[in-house]
Amino acid sequence: MAHISEDIINQERRSNWVRLRTLVWLRWIAITGQIATIGVAMLCFGFQLSLGGFAIVIGASVIVNIVAAFVYPENMRLTERGATWMLLFDITQLSAMLYLSGGLNNPFALLILVPVTISATALRPTSVIATGGVAIVLVTLVALFNMPLVDLYGIPIVLPHIFVFGSWAGIVVGITFLGGYAWKVTSEIHTMSEALLATQMALGREQKLTDLGGVVAAAAHELGTPLATIKLVSAELVDDLAKFEDFRADAQLIHEQADRCRDILRSMGRSGKNDLHLQMAPLQAVIEEAADPHMQRGKTVIIDASAGETGVDQPHVFRHPEMIHGLRNLVQNAVDFSKSTVWVDVSWTKEVIRVRIIDDGAGFPASVIGKIGDPFMRRRRPDADAKKRPAYEGMGLGLFIAKTLLERTGADISFANGSPPHDQQLHAGRRSGAIVELVWPMSRIAASKEEQTKALGENMLFER
């Protein structure tokens, strides 16, 4: 139910993106085209048209536009219901125009697709179905009941019934197909936009934490000297005030509080230090940092690092927030779905760095393994899984964010299962579950010897 309500909220926000002024301008364009078409049909081709009926139908559109332009503010955005009624009015107005000009014998009957397509790109499925259904009903009525087109000599222009039926069938198919196609494509675009926004927010949060750590480290470094001075002076006062117990106790308290401040700053400095030599670290240390929050969750996490070639030292890699956040998310998923054990195999050669995260769970479901990494990909959760992971909301946005952030660092990511689909039972202690493999070019994330040497210079606050 949480998923459904979230989707409805997002789709309602989509409908609020439609500006009233946009639909008003589109209707002015339609009115201009209708008047021009009537003029050309009568003056150039000699059609005998009911000008009174056309004046009423077009006048209704003009009145609605004038009211919308002068009564409502220019920046007004329509609600779901308001946009639906506006588009239904356009469908009805165009159907009335077709009724007065030969029904489906009029080649402009195809324009009935326009408001349906607009609704498909801006409204919820229920509203799209409503506008499409009304359009189909009105097109059917216009095909059966209409005022025929009459030429200069008073002869009605009527197409053979088979052509009228074909025109009706084509419009109905167009309404169904274009409406569904436009809604699906637009939904995927909005979903991707929302997922990318969430990715940027996650990365921004990680970056803020990193920057905050740098500020904390700088403060700890700068306050170290005055605290040392306070400690030294207080220690001398303790010795000098040996005969004055009250003053000596105060000096002793100052000395103890200075020690406490030193310990606090040292702890803050360790967790937040961002000087140059900690912008990079051995590969295994970065993997351990990413996996650390999930090492004490009741599952065994084994990190095994080894060179894939003899004579190749372990590389030092940059501690990108994207890399740490993405790896942490993948390890979290492995721990969540594992039976008892998660393996993180780390290897490297002169050209590439490879990380494989494997668990002993049931693996990825066959129905979703090809879609992993798509935003908001969800599947119905079994009751047993819901009890096991009550806060779990699907393998969609989290894996999308992790995949996007890791690909930003240059990683090539692949997903697989350790066992065939018919052998997806849980095997504690076996590498039979999900496998996520990441491969980076060595030159993309590894620090060169010169960069490592430079990092050992003067400590200073890192500015990105």
Side-chain angles (χ1 to χ4, degrees):
M1 291 297 295
H3 297 160
I4 296 175
S5 61
E6 179 184 343
D7 292 340
I8 291 176
I9 291 172
N10 291 335
Q11 289 161 347
E12 287 179 346
R13 289 174 179 171
R14 280 179 51 192
S15 68
N16 292 337
W17 293 349
V18 181
R19 288 202 315 161
L20 175 61
R21 187 57 55 92
T22 300
L23 295 183
V24 168
W25 275 109
L26 290 175
R27 189 176 293 123
W28 280 124
I29 295 172
I31 291 171
T32 304
Q34 290 168 358
I35 295 174
T37 302
I38 293 172
V40 171
M42 295 185 65
L43 298 177
C44 298
F45 297 98
F47 286 110
Q48 300 179 25
L49 301 176
S50 175
L51 291 181
F54 282 120
I56 294 174
V57 175
I58 296 176
S61 290
V62 173
I63 292 173
V64 171
N65 264 14
I66 292 175
V67 171
F70 288 97
V71 174
Y72 298 99
E74 184 175 351
N75 61 347
M76 177 181 178
R77 297 188 180 274
L78 295 172
T79 62
E80 176 83 18
R81 179 177 297 181
T84 302
W85 280 112
M86 290 286 284
L87 293 172
L88 288 176
F89 173 82
D90 291 334
I91 294 173
T92 304
Q93 192 263 359
L94 183 56
S95 299
M97 295 286 292
L98 293 175
Y99 169 79
L100 296 171
S101 55
L104 298 189
N105 294 287
N106 189 332
F108 291 101
L110 191 65
L111 292 176
I112 200 75
L113 296 173
V114 175
V116 177
T117 304
I118 293 175
S119 70
T121 60
L123 305 181
R124 292 185 297 166
T126 52
S127 299
V128 177
I129 293 173
T131 54
V134 170
I136 291 174
V137 170
L138 292 179
V139 165
T140 303
L141 292 175
V142 167
L144 298 174
F145 310 101
N146 58 77
M147 296 176 61
L149 283 171
V150 179
D151 64 12
L152 183 62
Y153 305 101
I155 301 174
I157 299 177
V158 180
L159 293 174
H161 293 300
I162 187 64
F163 285 99
V164 174
F165 175 77
S167 179
W168 173 85
I171 292 175
V172 171
V173 171
I175 290 174
T176 305
F177 175 76
L178 283 180
Y181 182 82
W183 177 81
K184 182 64 176 177
V185 171
T186 305
S187 297
E188 290 185 356
I189 291 173
H190 289 314
T191 298
M192 185 62 70
S193 299
E194 294 167 3
L196 289 174
L197 176 61
T199 303
Q200 294 294 337
M201 293 176 62
L203 180 58
R205 178 179 177 275
E206 198 77 20
Q207 184 62 58
K208 287 181 179 180
L209 291 176
T210 302
D211 294 341
L212 180 62
V215 174
V216 171
H221 177 74
E222 296 297 329
L223 291 175
T225 299
L227 281 176
T229 303
I230 293 173
K231 182 180 177 181
L232 177 62
V233 173
S234 61
E236 293 177 351
L237 286 175
V238 170
D239 296 336
D240 294 341
L241 298 175
K243 298 180 180 180
F244 305 93
E245 289 297 328
D246 294 339
F247 295 112
R248 186 175 183 277
D250 293 338
Q252 183 66 36
L253 179 62
I254 294 174
H255 186 271
E256 293 173 355
Q257 292 302 309
D259 285 338
R260 183 182 177 188
C261 289
R262 179 202 61 194
D263 294 337
I264 293 174
L265 289 175
R266 182 179 298 171
S267 174
M268 294 171 63
R270 280 197 300 265
S271 63
K273 186 173 288 187
N274 195 36
D275 50 21
L276 285 176
H277 76 277
L278 284 184
Q279 292 174 26
M280 61 190 71
L283 175 60
Q284 183 173 353
V286 173
I287 302 297
E288 291 174 350
E289 177 183 356
D292 182 68
H294 308 290
M295 299 285 282
Q296 307 297 327
R297 292 182 51 197
K299 307 290 180 67
T300 302
V301 180
I302 301 174
I303 300 177
D304 182 20
S306 61
E309 296 177 354
T310 58
V312 180
D313 295 333
Q314 181 175 170
H316 283 62
V317 298
F318 293 101
R319 298 173 59 253
H320 296 299
E322 301 98 319
M323 183 176 178
I324 294 174
H325 183 90
L327 287 171
R328 184 169 296 160
N329 186 281
L330 295 179
V331 173
Q332 175 186 353
N333 276 315
V335 171
D336 288 338
F337 286 105
S338 66
K339 182 66 174 178
S340 62
T341 311
V342 174
W343 295 267
V344 182
D345 296 336
V346 184
S347 62
W348 59 88
T349 65
K350 293 181 180 180
E351 291 78 23
V352 298
I353 294 173
R354 191 181 309 273
V355 176
R356 302 180 79 212
I357 302 173
I358 312 170
D359 61 66
D360 59 352
F364 298 114
S367 59
V368 303
I369 191 169
K371 303 176 184 177
I372 294 175
D374 290 346
F376 303 111
M377 180 202 68
R378 295 188 177 98
R379 58 186 176 90
R380 186 173 181 84
R381 300 171 60 199
D383 294 338
D385 187 37
K387 294 178 180 179
K388 179 181 176 182
R389 302 182 69 199
Y392 181 64
E393 294 294 339
M395 297 188 303
L397 186 57
L399 277 180
F400 171 81
I401 292 175
K403 184 172 181 288
T404 302
L405 294 179
L406 290 169
E407 286 177 343
R408 181 176 294 184
T409 66
D412 183 17
I413 307 175
S414 60
F415 302 90
N417 284 326
S419 295
H422 63 272
D423 187 28
Q424 287 299 305
Q425 295 81 19
L426 299 182
H427 301 289
R430 279 185 50 192
R431 302 187 178 211
S432 58
I435 300 175
V436 182
E437 184 175 62
L438 304 98
V439 180
W440 287 272
M442 179 69 75
S443 59
R444 187 67 184 268
I445 61 171
S448 64
K449 295 294 184 181
E450 293 76 12
E451 289 171 322
Q452 295 181 42
T453 303
K454 182 180 179 181
L456 295 177
E458 180 182 0
N459 288 346
M460 55 186 295
L461 183 63
F462 175 58
E463 296 182 358
R464 289 187 179 272

